[in-house]
Amino acid sequence: MPSQSSRLSIVVAYFLIYVVWGSTYYFIGVCLRDLPPFVLGALRFGVAGTALLAVCRMHGECLFKRSLVLKSAVSGIVLLFVDQAVIMFAQRFVSSSLVAIIASSTAVWIMLLDVPMWKRNFKSVATVAGMLLGFVGVGMLYVEQLYYDAPSGSHSEYGVLLLVGGCVSWACGTLYSKYCSSAEEDVGGLAGAAWQMAAASVVFGVCAGVTGGFAGTHWACVSATSWLSLAYLITFGSMLAYTAYVWLLKVRPAAEVATHAYVNPVVAVAVGAGIGGERVTFVQLAGLAVILLSVMLVNRRKHKD
């Protein structure tokens, strides 16, 4: 990642967190056919974090500063592990559609909790309207499925509470990562992102071991498609997109970066229709239009900065 926030580097970073991250939903689904969730998390973030640490080492970076490791570990566990674990458990109680809708509220939580930016965020009518419109747009994407795929007899209130907690956790981790970094303790840099993924992988690994995930995985039966999907998640979803997210938090307002929570479901629907052969309805297309409008409203100030 370049040290200066040039327009091209920002565009590339947004492409990664908008499009590439959105596509990972499909590939996560493919991997989960053969790999338990905790095992998937341990492998994905463990390999990605180790590879990034090796890259940093080759560039002569000092990796083992106590403050860097500890602060990055906190960010990684709160951002990556808690968020993914919450989604896994929440889907026992609520539909996948409701998961997507509530998860998109992360953008709103980031704006609400970003106290240093309250004056800037809330004085802009376009920003506030864009955040609310984005949430409505995501709801339109999934509203038709909402009453068809809910687990029967489940306690949906448990799932909703878990998801809201996960959204708040991601928002807190995002803001912690943004504001705790400094020139000496570059938690928001490449080394910081690497340690965040490494820390998350350790917790995922512990959970996989405790729950019997590793022992219960039939490694010989894991398909080539699952391995290729895992490679995509490691390379593009984690090493590139997540690193881009952490870097963008250093150079752009957190509320603006958080719009990925609205765009990711758009890309997920598009990938599902294009690769998975899923049907796209008129209401979903209208939802896509609303989301695009919301992102334009939130990001309109980008050209003024």
Side-chain angles (χ1 to χ4, degrees):
M1 283 293 178
S3 58
Q4 296 182 348
S5 55
S6 66
R7 178 168 294 187
L8 178 60
S9 60
I10 289 175
V11 169
V12 171
Y14 269 108
F15 174 83
L16 289 170
I17 69 169
Y18 278 2
V19 179
V20 173
W21 244 357
S23 68
T24 58
Y25 286 94
Y26 174 80
F27 294 101
I28 288 173
V30 173
C31 288
L32 289 176
R33 297 172 189 170
D34 299 318
L35 297 171
F38 287 132
V39 172
L40 174 59
L43 293 176
R44 175 184 175 181
F45 296 116
V47 174
T50 302
L52 283 179
L53 286 173
V55 170
C56 293
R57 187 63 177 174
M58 286 189 293
H59 283 81
E61 293 190 39
C62 182
L63 298 177
F64 297 99
K65 292 183 292 186
R66 179 183 175 87
S67 57
L68 170 66
V69 175
L70 292 179
K71 290 185 177 182
S72 297
V74 171
S75 293
I77 293 171
V78 174
L79 271 171
L80 295 172
F81 173 75
V82 173
D83 180 72
Q84 293 296 312
V86 161
I87 289 176
M88 294 172 195
F89 284 108
Q91 286 186 292
R92 297 166 126 189
F93 306 107
V94 299
S95 69
S96 58
S97 300
L98 188 56
V99 168
I101 293 170
I102 297 178
S104 70
S105 70
T106 300
V108 177
W109 282 109
I110 288 176
M111 186 172 71
L112 291 175
L113 295 174
D114 192 1
V115 178
M117 293 295 289
W118 273 2
K119 184 176 180 180
R120 183 180 183 184
N121 287 337
F122 290 105
K123 78 175 182 180
S124 170
V125 176
T127 298
V128 176
M131 301 297 269
L132 297 177
L133 270 179
F135 187 71
V136 171
V138 173
M140 293 173 68
L141 283 182
Y142 294 101
V143 67
E144 293 173 311
Q145 299 169 239
L146 193 57
Y147 298 104
Y148 296 103
D149 59 355
S152 59
S154 63
H155 294 280
S156 59
E157 65 276 11
Y158 298 159
V160 170
L161 289 174
L162 280 171
L163 286 168
V164 171
C167 291
V168 173
S169 174
W170 179 272
C172 291
T174 293
L175 297 173
Y176 180 83
S177 181
K178 179 176 179 64
Y179 292 118
C180 76
S181 61
S182 67
E184 294 78 22
E185 302 165 0
D186 197 8
V187 180
L190 186 62
W195 280 119
Q196 287 175 31
M197 286 185 273
S201 72
V202 170
V203 183
F204 271 116
V206 170
C207 292
V210 171
T211 59
F214 287 119
T217 301
H218 302 287
W219 299 100
C221 298
V222 178
S223 67
T225 303
S226 293
W227 287 122
L228 289 173
S229 297
L230 177 59
Y232 179 86
L233 293 174
I234 291 170
T235 305
F236 293 96
S238 296
M239 294 182 67
L240 292 179
Y242 184 71
T243 302
Y245 179 75
V246 173
W247 177 76
L248 273 173
L249 289 174
K250 296 176 64 180
V251 299
R252 300 304 305 164
E256 182 185 293
V257 179
T259 54
H260 77 86
Y262 298 145
V263 181
N264 289 165
V266 175
V267 177
V269 169
V271 172
I275 300 179
E278 299 174 1
R279 185 173 62 94
V280 178
T281 68
F282 175 78
V283 174
Q284 289 177 320
L285 290 175
L288 300 183
V290 171
I291 291 171
L292 293 177
L293 174 61
S294 75
V295 173
M296 290 173 62
L297 287 172
V298 174
N299 289 349
R300 64 182 296 182
R301 66 186 177 188
K302 179 190 297 184
H303 305 292
K304 302 177 183 179
D305 295 342

